[in-house]
Amino acid sequence: MNDEELPVIDGSLTRESHLILQQFTSHNQISSFTLAIIKFILLLENSCKEDVRVVPTSVRSSIEGIESALYQDELQSLTLTDSEISLLESAAFQFINHTMAGVVSLRSLFPPLDKSAEDLLHALLPITKLVQLNLWEDSAMKSEIQNLLKSEIFKKIKRAVDVWTEDRLAMLDEHVAYSQCQTDPVLPQTSSLADLLQEVCVICTPKPAYQEMFHKVNVNYYKTICLRVDHMLAHKVKELVHEMNYYQKRYQSYQVNIRDSSRISLKLFLAIKNIYSVLKKSIPDREVFKLRMVHFDQWFEESLIFWLETFKSECNMRMEKALEIDKDFVPVTSQVKHSNSSVDVLSSFAKITTEWRDIGVQDADHLLIGAIKISNVICDGTRLYADKIASILECNGYYDGNSTEFDINQQVCITVNNIEYIRRYLSQLAEMLNYEDISRSLTLKYDDDAVGRQSFQMLNRLISTASEDIVLKERNLLQKIVDQMEPNLNKHIKIFSSAASLATTCDQEAILPLIEYLDKNLKTFHLQLCSGSYPKVLSTVWQTLVYRLDMSILYGCKPEYYSCIANHIKTLQTYFAQLGLESDPPLNSINYEKVLEKLARHALPTSELLLQYFTSITENMSIPLGHCGQVALRVGYLTSSPSTISLAVQLLTVCDLPLPVKSTSQLNMVRLQLRLLPMSFCQSQMFQTAPADVDENTNTAEFDLTHHFTDVPKDVISTKGVVLHIMVWQFHKLGWDTFLGEVFINVCGTKEIHRSIDQLPVIMLATKMPIETEQKQSTVFEILFQRRQWDKEAKQHCDIRLKIMKYAKNYTQLTGPDKKRDFLASVAQYVETCFSYL
């Protein structure tokens, strides 16, 4: 018999039956509450019968009747008898079991659908109403009914989760089995499992409305499905991660395999991370340990290294591709631009850092390793990009131009902007990779501040080193560009340099062509370079210009030439300062100061140079290791007139005189030659002593004579550089005398003679042999030597010093008097020596 043909029971009575029932209950003193209970028990019993059909609303109406009777004031003191409770419990259990049997046939509760939840709640509504009756307050029946209801719902939810998960995992295996892909099955399996986890993540995200529906039956739906999903999927995930680790170890020598497998394993990791975060939200904190995925990050420790290597390979691959198709430009301002390749490279860097943050490694050591790897990938990437973008400029023939006028174009500026653009990204790396958090994590893990501090310094050192390398590459590129400007710079420098050498006065307009050329190209740099690169260009151009100016200086010119060149260089310095070059280095660089110092020295008059030359000789008063004896004397002055003095020199002894090299004869007689230098200050006064005998035992010659240099300007005693020059000679009656050394005494600071020169202290100075190489290395002597073609005073000084150097050189080559000498040659040499000071 169909359900439609069964007799229907709705719990209602006809009017006549209702009147009879009222009379019966009134006659037998039966309360309306007892009548409602009996009516409800009969209705529950009939609901469990197969031969009748009870209207669902009738149960709810009967429950409402009981509640109405129960809360009437006159019935508050009534309670159920034991027989009534027994009948009610028996009928209630029969009704619940009968109703739950029908719930099994309802649609699945997973994935959660609003319709399935509504059907379930509608079917369970009579039971929920039954549980909510106040009849069970003092009875264990209510808790038993509630536990039975929750247990049945839990079973149905878990069964639904198991069936759905098993079906999906089976479909995953079937898909891999039927696919004809040549790759290892672990790759498509892992990828499909990651997709499945993403789907489950969406399913397990709580919906407040759905959760509220199950809360009505005291069931935490999402906690139940999350625990069950974790139980069903954790084993499969761990199994595939283990197989993926084995695959990557097996193919670790093949970059393509590692790259593809790392992408898939990272996809799986991120999917597990997402689903774990969703599952954890639906489970109380004290029960999170029940999740089998709680330590999922430990499963991927081996894969972490391969992910980092993949980051590097993908970064380089994307960089190569960006450079191959680099045609378009990205405008920063109306003039400043950089190419798309730099944007693509930085986007690849950003992707790497974003993926690393998404991985969310928790272990401090793994965080440090990952930060080092990622930092190295990005730092090496910036270096590689700078090299490649600079080489592209060279491959395009930018440095091969043969044009007479080299000018800066847009391509150069864009290349420099690209390098500067990626270099600036490095300054953001410490914040993006959370260096400070890593340092704190290491400090907490090892309980040592030094560990965290050293790790932080090491990470920052990676960035600073890379940034310095990029700056160096950028400067090298700029230097190459400026080197192409050198022919034009030399041409313009030669114009004003030649003009200064020929003109008697300095022509300030001679430098204008150079400034116009610089202004034209530096303006291009200023308009088209980013703000960080323009000062570097100015510095590079300025340093190159100073170097070229230094190389273009002509030597041996008159002092006016060097003063004019110095004025031109100062004009250029002012020009670069106005362009924004900082006053501290590089504007006032060491090279610039050296060039000005050189020009200032060359611009000095010859008289001043001679004073500097003799000052440098007299400053070193120490006895040299190879000295040739010592001269003892006194020096003082007497005032002759308000403008002149008489310089008195008392010669006492010459001691410790050595024999000439290779000479076996004794040193019989020596003579001294005195002169005030420079000659322009002292009117070429010279004095020569008579030969004095040398004691054979002590090699000492006694002179004990005083000579006065008269009419000497009084200024010499306050002028640093005026010297008394004493030359020591071995006297030969026949042949030329042998030069034994020289002494320079600074006249500046000489004491005045008040009573007698004998009251002045004795001065003992070691005689020295001038060395030709040391003299020629002297900057002042070199300047004087270069002036000898047009300056008589400089020529005379240089000729005398060169002859004295020659005598000193011959001193070490003499063989002694046993060798026969040409008498005429000896006389000629002697005469030349005597007249060299005339």
Side-chain angles (χ1 to χ4, degrees):
M1 185 180 294
N2 297 330
D3 290 344
E4 290 79 4
E5 299 176 355
L6 293 175
V8 177
I9 299 177
D10 58 2
S12 61
L13 298 176
T14 62
R15 183 173 181 275
E16 292 78 4
S17 299
H18 184 68
L19 291 174
I20 295 172
L21 183 59
Q22 281 185 344
Q23 293 177 358
F24 178 78
T25 55
S26 176
H27 179 74
N28 293 286
Q29 297 182 350
I30 299 174
S31 65
S32 59
F33 175 69
T34 303
L35 182 61
I37 290 296
I38 295 172
K39 181 179 178 182
F40 180 61
I41 292 173
L42 292 175
L43 189 60
L44 292 179
E45 291 177 349
N46 288 326
S47 298
C48 300
K49 294 181 179 179
E50 299 294 336
D51 54 351
V52 295
R53 181 165 59 89
V54 178
V55 177
T57 56
S58 60
V59 178
R60 293 196 295 270
S61 299
S62 179
I63 293 174
E64 293 173 358
I66 294 176
E67 290 177 343
S68 176
L70 184 62
Y71 284 102
Q72 290 179 3
D73 294 339
E74 64 273 19
L75 300 177
Q76 287 297 316
S77 59
L78 296 177
T79 57
L80 294 176
T81 62
D82 293 339
S83 59
E84 291 174 341
I85 292 175
S86 176
L87 291 173
L88 181 58
E89 289 178 353
S90 176
F93 272 109
Q94 290 180 14
F95 177 75
I96 290 173
N97 290 330
H98 178 76
T99 304
M100 293 304 300
V103 170
V104 176
S105 61
L106 296 176
R107 67 183 74 192
S108 174
L109 295 177
F110 187 86
L113 299 174
D114 293 342
K115 183 62 178 175
S116 61
E118 291 175 358
D119 293 345
L120 176 65
L121 294 177
H122 183 73
L124 297 179
L125 186 59
I127 300 179
T128 57
K129 288 289 186 180
L130 179 61
V131 173
Q132 293 172 0
L133 279 174
N134 292 331
L135 298 174
W136 318 110
E137 292 296 337
D138 299 328
S139 171
M141 183 63 183
K142 182 176 182 178
S143 60
E144 291 180 9
I145 295 175
Q146 289 177 336
N147 292 335
L148 176 62
L149 182 60
K150 288 176 61 175
S151 175
E152 293 297 330
I153 295 176
F154 284 152
K155 288 179 181 178
K156 184 169 180 59
I157 294 174
K158 292 178 180 179
R159 191 180 306 113
V161 174
D162 292 349
V163 171
W164 186 87
T165 307
E166 290 172 356
D167 290 344
R168 295 304 301 270
L169 291 176
M171 291 172 59
L172 185 150
D173 294 335
E174 291 176 2
H175 174 72
V176 174
Y178 284 110
S179 64
Q180 298 181 358
C181 184
Q182 296 180 354
T183 59
D184 193 296
V186 69
L187 298 181
Q189 276 187 332
T190 306
S191 180
S192 300
L193 180 59
D195 295 335
L196 176 60
L197 291 176
Q198 292 291 359
E199 184 180 354
V200 173
C201 183
V202 175
I203 293 173
C204 293
T205 302
K207 298 178 182 178
Y210 204 82
Q211 194 169 10
E212 185 64 25
M213 286 190 289
F214 279 93
H215 184 69
K216 295 177 181 179
V217 291
N218 200 23
V219 173
N220 191 334
Y221 175 79
Y222 283 99
K223 173 185 174 182
T224 305
I225 65 170
C226 287
L227 289 172
R228 197 60 188 172
V229 164
D230 173 77
H231 176 79
M232 295 296 294
L233 295 177
H235 177 73
K236 183 65 175 180
V237 171
K238 193 172 183 179
E239 178 184 351
L240 280 181
V241 170
H242 177 74
E243 293 180 9
M244 181 63 76
N245 290 338
Y246 175 76
Y247 174 88
Q248 291 184 316
K249 289 180 181 178
R250 183 181 179 187
Y251 289 94
Q252 60 182 341
S253 301
Y254 304 98
Q255 187 61 44
V256 177
N257 297 64
I258 294 300
R259 182 192 64 200
D260 295 341
S261 60
S262 295
R263 289 174 180 172
I264 295 174
S265 64
L266 181 58
K267 177 183 176 182
L268 177 62
F269 175 85
L270 295 177
I272 297 175
K273 182 182 177 183
N274 290 337
I275 193 173
Y276 175 73
S277 63
V278 171
L279 299 180
K280 190 169 65 171
K281 290 178 181 178
S282 299
I283 298 175
D285 293 340
R286 62 179 180 275
E287 297 185 37
V288 172
F289 71 93
K290 295 181 180 180
L291 293 175
R292 299 186 178 185
M293 295 184 186
V294 67
H295 298 300
F296 71 93
D297 54 333
Q298 298 178 1
W299 306 344
F300 292 88
E301 289 181 354
E302 296 180 13
S303 301
L304 180 62
I305 303 300
F306 294 107
W307 296 344
L308 297 173
E309 291 298 326
T310 302
F311 289 160
K312 182 177 181 179
S313 62
E314 288 187 345
C315 177
N316 293 338
M317 182 174 62
R318 186 167 178 179
M319 184 186 305
E320 295 285 351
K321 185 177 180 180
L323 290 172
E324 289 177 2
I325 61 175
D326 191 11
K327 295 180 181 179
D328 298 327
F329 303 119
V330 178
V332 180
T333 65
S334 59
Q335 296 287 340
V336 180
K337 299 176 182 177
H338 53 77
S339 60
N340 276 334
S341 62
S342 60
V343 179
D344 291 341
V345 170
L346 292 192
S347 63
S348 67
F349 292 164
K351 182 180 179 182
I352 291 173
T353 55
T354 301
E355 289 182 349
W356 174 249
R357 289 197 301 268
D358 291 342
I359 291 173
V361 177
Q362 299 298 322
D363 182 71
D365 292 329
H366 291 163
L367 275 173
L368 179 61
I369 294 173
I372 293 173
K373 284 282 188 179
I374 298 296
S375 299
N376 279 328
V377 167
I378 294 177
C379 291
D380 292 342
T382 56
R383 294 188 183 97
L384 180 61
Y385 179 80
D387 288 336
K388 288 186 174 294
I389 200 71
S391 63
I392 289 175
L393 193 66
E394 186 172 359
C395 292
N396 290 339
Y398 183 76
Y399 306 122
D400 300 336
N402 297 320
S403 59
T404 57
E405 193 80 8
F406 179 85
D407 294 324
I408 305 301
N409 58 24
Q410 187 183 50
Q411 183 184 8
V412 175
C413 296
I414 290 176
T415 301
V416 176
N417 288 341
N418 288 340
I419 297 176
E420 180 65 17
Y421 186 57
I422 64 168
R423 188 192 68 81
R424 291 181 179 181
Y425 182 82
L426 295 176
S427 61
Q428 309 171 19
L429 196 57
E431 182 179 356
M432 289 187 292
L433 293 179
N434 299 320
Y435 285 177
E436 293 184 355
D437 293 343
I438 295 173
S439 175
R440 285 193 291 268
S441 299
L442 289 168
T443 300
L444 292 175
K445 180 174 182 178
Y446 294 101
D447 195 20
D448 189 352
D449 292 338
V451 176
R453 183 175 61 255
Q454 291 172 4
S455 63
F456 184 75
Q457 293 173 351
M458 177 189 64
L459 291 170
N460 281 284
R461 196 180 302 117
L462 295 176
I463 298 177
S464 61
T465 302
S467 182
E468 291 172 0
D469 292 343
I470 299 301
V471 170
L472 181 61
K473 294 177 187 294
E474 187 176 358
R475 290 190 179 277
N476 290 337
L477 175 62
L478 293 174
Q479 188 62 56
K480 285 184 177 182
I481 297 171
V482 175
D483 288 345
Q484 297 299 307
M485 300 170 61
E486 278 198 14
N488 297 318
L489 294 176
N490 292 335
K491 181 179 69 174
H492 295 298
I493 290 172
K494 187 177 180 181
I495 293 174
F496 71 78
S497 179
S498 301
S501 63
L502 299 175
T504 56
T505 59
C506 185
D507 184 9
Q508 295 294 338
E509 294 183 357
I511 200 174
L512 290 180
L514 175 60
I515 293 180
E516 290 175 357
Y517 175 73
L518 291 172
D519 196 56
K520 175 184 176 182
N521 288 281
L522 292 178
K523 183 178 181 181
T524 303
F525 278 129
H526 178 67
L527 292 176
Q528 298 189 9
L529 284 184
C530 56
S531 58
S533 297
Y534 181 63
K536 298 173 187 174
V537 171
L538 286 180
S539 174
T540 304
V541 174
W542 171 244
Q543 296 294 346
T544 302
L545 188 59
V546 170
Y547 173 75
R548 296 316 309 171
L549 286 168
D550 187 17
M551 293 295 102
S552 65
I553 294 175
L554 302 177
Y555 296 104
C557 297
K558 294 183 178 182
E560 293 79 7
Y561 165 78
Y562 302 101
S563 299
C564 184
I565 297 298
N567 291 333
H568 288 324
I569 292 180
K570 291 177 182 177
T571 300
L572 290 172
Q573 186 203 33
T574 304
Y575 170 74
F576 275 88
Q578 291 175 349
L579 292 178
L581 193 60
E582 296 180 356
S583 57
D584 291 335
L587 186 59
N588 295 325
S589 62
I590 296 177
N591 293 334
Y592 171 72
E593 297 294 342
K594 286 183 177 179
V595 172
L596 285 184
E597 182 181 352
K598 179 193 295 185
L599 291 172
R601 190 181 301 115
H602 278 269
L604 292 174
T606 301
S607 58
E608 185 67 27
L609 290 173
L610 289 173
L611 291 176
Q612 289 187 7
Y613 175 79
F614 290 120
T615 300
S616 63
I617 292 178
T618 57
E619 280 180 350
N620 186 11
M621 299 297 292
S622 61
I623 299 177
L625 294 177
H627 70 281
C628 305
Q630 298 185 71
V631 178
L633 71 161
R634 292 187 178 98
V635 180
Y637 75 91
L638 296 170
T639 302
S640 302
S641 68
S643 60
T644 60
I645 62 171
S646 175
L647 186 66
V649 180
Q650 184 183 44
L651 299 174
L652 300 177
T653 61
V654 178
C655 57
D656 298 334
L657 292 171
L659 289 174
V661 179
K662 300 181 182 179
S663 176
T664 58
S665 65
Q666 294 180 348
L667 192 61
N668 296 324
M669 302 179 73
V670 296
R671 65 179 178 87
L672 302 178
Q673 199 172 27
L674 287 73
R675 191 178 189 89
L676 284 176
L677 298 174
M679 290 181 285
S680 59
F681 278 81
C682 307
Q683 302 176 357
S684 302
Q685 297 190 41
M686 184 184 71
F687 170 71
Q688 183 171 292
T689 68
D693 294 331
V694 179
D695 190 329
E696 296 180 358
N697 297 323
T698 62
N699 276 353
T700 302
E702 299 284 347
F703 287 92
D704 196 16
L705 59 88
T706 302
H707 175 73
H708 290 268
F709 291 94
T710 59
D711 297 329
V712 177
K714 194 173 183 178
D715 294 339
V716 299
I717 61 174
S718 60
T719 303
K720 194 174 183 180
V722 178
V723 296
L724 173 65
H725 182 211
I726 302 176
M727 298 177 67
V728 183
W729 298 84
Q730 181 184 4
F731 177 74
H732 298 286
K733 293 181 180 180
L734 296 176
W736 69 79
D737 293 347
T738 303
F739 178 70
L740 297 181
E742 63 181 353
V743 173
F744 289 93
I745 304 172
N746 200 337
V747 177
C748 179
T750 301
K751 295 182 179 180
E752 185 176 4
I753 301 173
H754 295 286
R755 294 182 181 178
S756 171
I757 194 172
D758 294 333
Q759 295 179 352
L760 296 179
V762 176
I763 302 173
M764 292 191 69
L765 296 176
T767 59
K768 302 177 183 179
M769 280 290 181
I771 300 175
E772 184 177 1
T773 55
E774 291 182 358
Q775 294 292 325
K776 290 185 176 180
Q777 288 174 359
S778 171
T779 305
V780 176
F781 184 83
E782 183 182 1
I783 297 173
L784 293 170
F785 188 79
Q786 294 166 352
R787 291 185 180 185
R788 70 187 188 282
Q789 294 181 353
W790 56 271
D791 191 323
K792 293 182 179 180
E793 186 178 7
K795 183 179 186 303
Q796 185 181 24
H797 171 78
C798 292
D799 291 344
I800 292 173
R801 294 307 299 168
L802 290 174
K803 286 181 180 180
I804 293 175
M805 295 172 201
K806 182 179 179 181
Y807 300 154
K809 184 177 181 182
N810 292 336
Y811 170 80
T812 61
Q813 298 175 352
L814 297 178
T815 57
D818 56 329
K819 184 176 181 180
K820 295 180 180 180
R821 302 181 181 184
D822 186 359
F823 177 74
L824 295 177
S826 300
V827 173
Q829 181 66 29
Y830 178 76
V831 172
E832 180 183 4
T833 303
C834 293
F835 281 92
S836 62
Y837 281 98
L838 298 179

